[in-house]
Amino acid sequence: MGVPVSALLLLAGAAAATAKEFSAVTYAVWGAVALTTGGFFAALYHCRVHRHNGLLHGMLCGLSVTAFWFFVAWLVNGHAGFGFPMLWGMLGGMAGGIYGVNLPAPAARKQSHCSIHIHGRGAAFADACRKRRYRKPWQMPEKSTSDADN
């Protein structure tokens, strides 16, 4: 989720740079914003589903988005430098992880009538097996009739 978001931001920055000449600092800031936003949305999506360890999982999501773009830069340029903007990806991931854990859980998807029927049959079969497990007459202890006769 974070890589497509950061890719769209990088493409928007490239389109803006084509229309107007930017300084080198502006390119670095735009890259940091794209990495931060990508890490934020990756961690937000992950932590909203998993609901625990937002800071740690957010940092790992931000690190994964940063590592992806680091690898892409290394493939394209032949080298990639680790700089201050790379750390912003992890910080954005941490913020997204904390925010994602604290958001309400996603709503359950509505089931179709086919899946309800299939799950209903499965539940009925499981109930029948449970009932059968307790109604096995050959495993019931037999009462002794010799004590009753005396």
Side-chain angles (χ1 to χ4, degrees), residues 28-92:
V29 169
W30 195 262
V33 167
L35 277 175
T36 305
T37 308
F40 180 84
F41 280 106
L44 178 75
Y45 180 75
H46 174 78
C47 291
R48 187 167 180 220
V49 173
H50 291 284
R51 314 288 301 158
H52 66 282
N53 292 338
L55 189 65
L56 177 66
H57 287 192
M59 184 180 68
L60 293 176
C61 287
L63 185 65
S64 65
V65 170
T66 303
F68 174 80
W69 288 115
F70 184 82
F71 183 68
V72 168
W74 180 71
L75 284 177
V76 171
N77 297 332
H79 69 282
F82 184 81
F84 188 67
M86 297 281 196
L87 295 176
W88 282 100
M90 289 194 310
L91 291 175

Side-chain angles (χ1 to χ4, degrees), residues 32 39 83 125:
F125 179 72

Side-chain angles (χ1 to χ4, degrees), residues 45 73 79 106 121 136 147:
Y45 180 75
H79 69 282
R121 288 185 69 194
K136 296 179 182 175
D147 294 335

